[in-house]
């Protein structure tokens, strides 16, 4: 190991050589924490500690497998490296008998768990609607992660009864759900003294990776396992805690020294990934947070180039800027598409970048999600629009007939489709005639509920057809959403509702943007273009730009990174607006995104953004103001503060700023008795003003931070 130790910096070596007692390793982004963990295990083995006495716990199977591979390479030894859930399953297989289960228990996946819960809901004579099931499932899962049994649910009788029934049925089936792997493991070690001593004695040295991401159950399990010997080696970074929505508690790492009195703390602050300008900017940003360990990342990779700042007029200019910079770096900086990533706060933001990358033939891959036009809610609403222009589209008919549910099952729909084909009548026309003339198809019997559902569907499509001539496409989409109560339909799954709603918002924006660019836009052309766009296949084997949400960027690194949509209420997200703790997590998320960049980083914002079919004035994210200007290079004519420009002339469509009325859009200009005069529309006030240039002192629009 002496030659291996020479590869470590002083702080890394200090952590690796630590043996007994609690140690917290504050591992900054790109500081080589995986190397420290594996070298520390190798060092323990060199000291004569048996591999079987060592336990390493992480959050993903990929990380666990990588750790095991490195240990085999270093020491040709087998160490138990696993996820928290795998550890729980191992313990329960051996010792679950004291909780009244048999060791050959089944582990239910999410679908199995929901089916069992549905049985309980029906047994309790509650509504069997999917929305209620999902809500109960989430509440039960959250309770287990907070180590609450059904008897601990005091304020919600419905959840308490459903949870009790569900847990009893799991036990009857000798089955566990995914959350039980932690919940029951903690319960076992809490109630069974013999089992607790067994596992406390089995693993004398415990290493916990990504400690800042532990929830209450994981944190409690770790504490119980090391209670006797206190040889816990926790690695993490509170500045990268971004998963509170999964139950992660960053306070667990902040409380380490109080949980383990006498603990040592080692800070890994040398970064091996990024240049110092990127690190200095990230340091300045994260120092605005109050709940953290103080550290400042630094690098031996030199200062590097300044961070690019681009404040675009709208999201189209933002996407155009990103696409142009990608092409420039590919041509001039010897990097490949695989070296590039675009990070955004919400999935819906991918759409505009997909459009511009496709137009420029820049290959891309969506990481951790579907391409915008493949998302369920987008395809659902586009299918409704296809029914507006087609009487024969069987696929769109089948997709939309039960959105929302109308009581027409697969068998009834197959009979309707077959009867229409047999009579050579267009499918939708057949449905209209079937409702008007019951003798049209004597063999096809519809129940009262089915008939009512089909009538509702036909009325909906005909209503949209009647509205189509007088509506713009984005207005027709909004009408379809309202008429079908689609938002209420997707709200039945609260876990995905916000994402899906934002995607529909983006579809409205896409339609409005598309219409703006065409003299005579038609619905058929719109649907045709989107269909062709959705058919473009990306070859995953070829280099490609990676598009992903900031949450998916954790643990990755790229030579060139774009952080886009840095605007108040988008990023930081509107859900964090009045919550200081949530705002700090948004700042940590920005910090994570920035520290993914190795050489080039761009921060992008817009003045206007299309939302629900209208251009809305946006404010630059506060994070931009928190980064010292010395680290930024402005790539746009817009600046973060307005400056008076008295002599500049404007034309129709230009975005301008007036001290009293705010941001506006020039409608037209003309010479009058007062000299150059503008008509300016101000969206926030919903008013048009006639302003004399020499008095109004208009300048390029940019709101104050």
């Amino acid at each position: 190991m002496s030659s291996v130790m020479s590869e470590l910096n002083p702080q890394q070596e200090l952590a690796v050589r630590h043996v007994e007692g609690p140690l917290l390793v504050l591992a900054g982004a790109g500081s080589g924490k995986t190397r420290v963990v594996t070298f520390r295990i190798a060092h323990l083995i060199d000291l004569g500690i048996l591999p079987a006495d060592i336990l390493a716990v992480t959050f993903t199977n990929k990380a666990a497998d990588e750790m095991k591979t490195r240990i085999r390479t270093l020491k040709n030894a087998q160490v138990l490296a696993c996820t928290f859930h795998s550890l729980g399953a191992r313990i329960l297989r051996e010792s679950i008998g004291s909780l009244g289960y048999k060791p050959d228990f089944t582990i239910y996946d999410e679908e199995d768990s929901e089916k069992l819960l549905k049985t309980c809901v029906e047994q309790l004579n509650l509504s069997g609607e999917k929305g209620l099931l999902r809500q109960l499932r989430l509440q039960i899962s959250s309770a287990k992660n907070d180590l609450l049994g059904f008897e601990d649910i005091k304020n919600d009788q419905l959840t308490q009864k459903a949870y009790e029934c569900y847990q009893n049925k799991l036990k009857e089936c000798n089955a566990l759900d995914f959350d039980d792997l932690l919940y029951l493991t903690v319960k076992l070690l809490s109630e069974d003294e013999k089992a607790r001593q067994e596992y406390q004695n089995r693993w004398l040295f415990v290493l916990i990776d990504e400690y800042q991401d532990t929830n209450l159950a994981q944190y409690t399990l770790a504490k119980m396992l090391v209670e006797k010997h206190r040889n816990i080696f926790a690695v993490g970074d509170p500045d990268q805690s971004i998963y509170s929505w999964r139950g992660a508690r960053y306070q667990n790492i902040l409380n380490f020294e109080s949980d383990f009195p006498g603990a040592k703390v080692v800070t890994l602050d040398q970064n091996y990934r990024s240049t110092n300008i990127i690190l200095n900017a990230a340091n300045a940003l994260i120092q605005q947070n109050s709940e953290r360990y103080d550290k400042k990342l630094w690098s031996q990779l030199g200062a590097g180039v300044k961070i690019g700042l681009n404040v675009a007029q709208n999201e189209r200019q933002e996407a155009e800027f990103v696409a142009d910079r990608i092409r420039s770096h590919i041509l001039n900086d010897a990097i490949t598409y695989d070296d590039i990533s675009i990070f955004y706060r919400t999935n819906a933001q991918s759409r505009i970048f997909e459009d511009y990358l496709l137009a420029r033939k820049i290959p891309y891959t969506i990481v951790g999600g579907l391409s915008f036009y493949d998302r369920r809610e987008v395809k659902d609403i586009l299918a409704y629009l296809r029914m507006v222009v087609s009487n024969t589209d069987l696929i769109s008919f089948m997709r939309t007939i039960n959105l929302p549910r109308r009581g027409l099952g697969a068998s009834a729909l197959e009979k309707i489709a077959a009867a229409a084909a047999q009579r050579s009548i267009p499918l939708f026309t057949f449905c209209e005639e079937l409702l008007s003339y019951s003798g049209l198809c004597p063999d096809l019997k519809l129940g009262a509920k089915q008939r009512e559902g089909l009538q509702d569907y036909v009325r909906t499509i005909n209503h949209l057809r009647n509205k189509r001539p007088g509506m713009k496409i984005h207005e027709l989409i909004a009408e379809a959403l309202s008429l079908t109560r689609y938002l209420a339909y997707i709200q039945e799954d609260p876990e995905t509702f916000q994402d899906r709603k934002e995607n529909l918002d983006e579809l409205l924006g896409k339609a409005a943007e598309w219409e703006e660019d065409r003299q005579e836009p038609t619905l058929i052309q719109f649907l045709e273009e989107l269909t062709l766009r959705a058919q473009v296949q990306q070859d995953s084997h070829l280099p490609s730009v990676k598009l992903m949400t900031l949450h998916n960027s954790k643990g990755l690194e790229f030579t060139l990174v774009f952080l886009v949509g840095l605007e108040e209420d988008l990023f930081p997200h509107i859900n964090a607006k009045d919550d200081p703790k949530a705002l700090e997590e948004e700042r940590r998320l920005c910090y994570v995104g920035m520290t993914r960049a190795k050489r080039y980083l761009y921060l992008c914002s817009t003045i206007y953004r299309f939302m629900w079919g209208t251009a809305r004035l946006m404010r630059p994210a506060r994070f931009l103001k928190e980064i010292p200007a010395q680290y930024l290079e402005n790539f746009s004519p817009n600046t973060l503060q307005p400056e008076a420009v008295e002599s500049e002339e404007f034309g129709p469509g230009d975005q301008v700023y007036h001290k009293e009325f705010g941001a506006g859009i020039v409608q037209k200009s003309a010479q009058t008795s007062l000299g150059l005069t503008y008509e300016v529309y101000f969206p926030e006030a919903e008013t048009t003003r006639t302003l004399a240039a020499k008095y109004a002192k208009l300048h390029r629009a940019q709101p104050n931070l």
Side-chain angles (χ1 to χ4, degrees):
M1 280 290 289
S2 58
S3 61
V4 172
M5 288 290 187
S6 66
E7 300 177 25
L8 304 175
N9 66 44
Q11 292 302 101
Q12 289 176 331
E13 185 173 350
L14 191 62
V16 166
R17 289 192 181 279
H18 176 84
V19 181
E20 294 185 324
L23 176 70
L24 174 62
V25 179
L26 293 172
S31 63
K33 72 178 179 68
T34 305
R35 168 179 286 195
V36 167
V37 172
T38 52
F39 279 25
R40 196 254 178 168
I41 293 172
H43 181 57
L44 292 177
I45 293 172
D46 277 350
L47 294 175
I49 295 165
L50 296 175
D53 290 338
I54 302 170
L55 168 66
V57 187
T58 187
F59 275 80
T60 67
N61 288 313
K62 180 181 177 182
D65 289 342
E66 182 182 352
M67 204 175 289
K68 285 187 282 192
T69 300
R70 289 197 184 192
I71 295 301
R72 280 198 300 270
T73 302
L74 285 170
K75 290 293 153 190
N76 193 28
Q78 292 275 55
V79 168
L80 178 58
C82 61
T83 65
F84 273 102
H85 288 89
S86 295
L87 175 64
R90 175 183 291 259
I91 291 173
L92 292 172
R93 287 288 181 204
E94 296 176 354
S95 307
I96 199 170
S98 63
L99 295 179
Y101 293 79
K102 295 177 182 177
D104 61 345
F105 56 80
T106 301
I107 300 173
Y108 278 0
D109 62 18
E110 193 58 37
E111 184 180 352
D112 296 331
S113 299
E114 196 163 303
K115 285 179 180 177
L116 190 65
L117 183 58
K118 184 178 181 181
T119 303
C120 293
V121 167
E122 292 169 352
Q123 184 176 310
L124 294 169
N125 295 319
L126 302 171
S127 169
E129 288 297 311
K130 185 179 180 182
L132 176 63
L133 283 174
R134 291 292 298 160
Q135 182 181 349
L136 289 172
R137 183 75 191 95
L138 288 171
Q139 288 172 337
I140 292 170
S141 176
S142 178
K144 288 185 178 182
N145 284 323
D146 287 339
L147 301 178
L148 299 174
F150 57 79
E151 65 279 359
D152 300 312
I153 308 295
K154 306 294 185 185
N155 307 329
D156 187 341
Q157 194 174 22
L158 187 150
T159 301
Q160 194 272 338
K161 286 184 176 179
Y163 185 2
E164 180 177 13
C165 176
Y166 171 72
Q167 202 63 15
N168 288 338
K169 284 193 177 294
L170 278 171
K171 197 166 187 178
E172 288 172 16
C173 298
N174 197 41
L176 278 57
D177 66 16
F178 199 61
D179 299 309
D180 282 332
L181 297 177
L182 298 176
Y183 170 66
L184 291 182
T185 302
V186 173
K187 184 178 175 67
L188 170 72
L189 299 184
S190 299
E191 297 177 1
D192 188 331
E193 174 69 21
K194 182 180 178 183
R196 182 164 66 253
Q197 290 188 11
E198 156 70 20
Y199 295 105
Q200 287 176 347
N201 290 328
R202 179 178 298 186
W203 297 299
L204 303 181
F205 294 88
V206 176
L207 300 91
I208 310 290
D209 193 13
E210 304 287 8
Y211 197 73
Q212 78 281 348
D213 292 335
T214 53
N215 62 25
L216 181 61
Q218 292 159 338
Y219 163 78
T220 304
L221 175 56
K223 279 189 69 178
M224 294 176 82
L225 288 175
V226 303
E227 186 178 20
K228 186 174 181 180
H229 53 69
R230 299 179 76 246
N231 292 329
I232 181 171
F233 185 94
V235 183
D237 182 5
D239 290 339
Q240 298 186 73
S241 180
I242 58 174
Y243 299 120
S244 64
W245 47 280
R246 291 183 187 168
R249 299 187 175 197
Y250 68 92
Q251 295 89 346
N252 294 345
I253 194 168
L254 296 178
N255 294 336
F256 188 87
E257 290 178 274
S258 58
D259 288 337
F260 301 99
K264 292 183 179 179
V265 179
V266 173
T267 301
L268 305 183
D269 53 10
Q270 182 177 353
N271 176 284
Y272 292 88
R273 174 188 300 153
S274 308
T275 57
N276 278 300
I277 281 180
I278 292 172
L279 297 178
N280 291 341
N283 288 334
L285 174 75
I286 203 62
Q287 282 170 9
Q288 303 298 317
N289 276 7
S290 58
E291 295 191 278
R292 60 186 297 266
Y293 277 96
D294 188 41
K295 69 175 185 306
K296 291 184 180 179
L297 298 180
W298 61 278
S299 169
Q300 292 183 338
L301 299 176
V305 299
K306 287 188 175 183
I307 296 167
L309 171 67
N310 186 64
V311 183
Q313 291 293 324
N314 53 48
E315 66 267 41
R316 297 168 71 182
Q317 285 190 12
E318 178 186 49
E320 184 175 30
F321 171 80
V322 169
D324 288 346
R325 293 310 301 165
I326 288 173
R327 294 179 72 174
S328 174
H329 281 285
I330 288 289
L331 289 171
N332 301 318
D333 297 306
I335 62 175
T336 70
Y337 290 123
D338 276 339
D339 297 323
I340 304 170
S341 188
I342 303 170
F343 299 152
Y344 35 77
R345 179 62 179 82
T346 68
N347 279 303
Q349 290 169 260
S350 76
R351 193 276 304 173
I352 189 73
F353 296 99
E354 292 186 64
D355 284 357
Y356 273 80
L357 295 177
L358 282 170
R360 284 163 171 73
K361 295 183 170 54
I362 296 174
Y364 70 88
T365 301
I366 303 288
V367 176
L370 293 171
S371 176
F372 180 80
Y373 299 106
D374 286 332
R375 292 168 194 167
R376 188 187 79 191
E377 56 281 2
V378 174
K379 295 181 78 169
D380 285 349
I381 298 305
L382 291 179
Y384 259 115
L385 296 186
R386 289 191 182 95
M387 286 306 301
V388 171
V389 299
S390 173
N391 279 332
T392 58
D393 189 338
L394 174 63
I395 300 302
S396 294
F397 174 83
M398 291 295 191
R399 187 175 190 102
T400 56
I401 185 68
N402 281 308
L403 296 176
R405 297 178 187 84
R406 295 186 173 92
L408 289 152
S411 176
L413 293 173
E414 286 174 10
K415 289 177 181 177
I416 290 172
Q422 186 178 9
R423 288 163 176 75
S424 299
I425 300 175
L427 181 58
F428 187 78
T429 305
F430 176 80
C431 291
E432 291 180 302
E433 294 180 0
L434 183 65
L435 292 169
S436 301
Y437 175 47
S438 57
L440 176 67
C441 187
D443 297 335
L444 184 56
K445 303 293 184 184
L446 294 179
K449 186 177 180 182
Q450 292 175 317
R451 191 174 187 84
E452 183 181 334
L454 189 60
Q455 284 175 331
D456 176 70
Y457 181 73
V458 168
R459 277 196 302 269
T460 298
I461 299 301
N462 281 330
H463 174 88
L464 294 173
R465 289 179 174 183
N466 292 334
K467 289 281 187 179
R468 177 187 170 192
M471 281 187 166
K472 293 184 176 179
I473 296 172
H474 74 271
E475 294 171 337
L476 191 65
I477 292 174
E479 184 74 8
L481 288 169
S482 172
L483 196 63
T484 61
R485 305 178 298 282
Y486 190 82
L487 289 181
Y489 168 74
I490 61 174
Q491 202 162 11
E492 292 176 358
D493 188 346
E495 197 171 14
T496 63
F497 172 69
Q498 186 64 35
D499 243 8
R500 296 191 186 285
K501 182 175 180 294
E502 287 167 353
N503 286 331
L504 293 170
D505 182 355
E506 186 63 25
L507 180 62
L508 280 164
K510 166 65 179 178
E513 171 194 305
W514 186 86
E515 289 173 293
E516 264 191 9
D517 288 344
R518 285 156 182 81
Q519 290 185 341
E520 296 181 8
T522 68
L523 180 58
I524 291 175
Q525 289 174 338
F526 177 72
L527 292 170
E528 180 180 298
E529 182 171 318
L530 264 58
T531 300
L532 293 174
R533 195 172 290 276
Q535 292 301 314
V536 176
Q537 297 295 320
Q538 300 293 331
D539 188 338
S540 60
H541 299 292
L542 296 176
S544 61
V545 175
K546 305 301 185 288
L547 277 64
M548 70 188 79
T549 64
L550 280 150
H551 283 98
N552 282 326
S553 73
K554 181 83 164 29
L556 303 177
E557 59 180 44
F558 299 91
T559 303
L560 167 59
V561 166
F562 297 88
L563 262 68
V564 300
L566 276 158
E567 299 133 36
E568 291 292 310
D569 297 342
L570 181 57
F571 185 36
H573 198 275
I574 192 169
N575 291 347
K577 194 168 189 174
D578 300 315
D579 185 344
K581 288 186 180 295
L583 184 59
E584 290 210 349
E585 179 153 328
E586 291 290 297
R587 189 176 284 109
R588 292 195 294 270
L589 192 56
C590 187
Y591 173 81
V592 166
M594 291 175 69
T595 54
R596 303 307 96 195
K598 295 160 73 173
R599 287 167 56 196
Y600 306 105
L601 173 63
Y602 291 88
L603 306 177
C604 303
S605 178
T606 69
I607 297 172
Y608 288 92
R609 187 171 290 274
F610 259 98
M611 291 186 173
W612 288 101
T614 61
R616 296 192 180 185
L617 182 66
M618 308 299 287
R619 288 185 299 131
R622 67 194 71 192
F623 304 149
L624 295 175
K625 189 176 182 181
E626 294 167 356
I627 297 171
Q630 70 196 73
Y631 303 128
L632 302 174
E633 178 182 358
N634 187 23
F635 271 81
S636 66
N638 310 291
T639 59
L640 291 180
Q641 298 289 346
E643 297 176 2
V645 182
E646 297 183 31
S647 60
E648 186 173 2
E649 292 187 5
F650 304 100
D654 282 348
Q655 316 283 339
V656 294
Y657 190 86
H658 185 274
K659 187 174 181 181
E660 181 179 348
F661 304 125
I665 305 169
V666 175
Q667 304 298 300
K668 62 182 180 180
S669 62
Q671 291 291 337
T672 69
S673 59
L674 294 174
L676 183 60
T677 303
Y678 299 111
E679 278 190 19
V680 183
Y681 173 65
F682 295 96
E684 284 199 314
E686 295 186 349
T687 185
T688 299
R689 300 272 181 171
T690 300
L691 304 172
K694 63 183 177 182
Y695 300 123
K697 296 182 180 179
L698 298 171
H699 54 78
R700 293 286 174 189
Q702 180 58 53
N704 283 311
L705 280 170

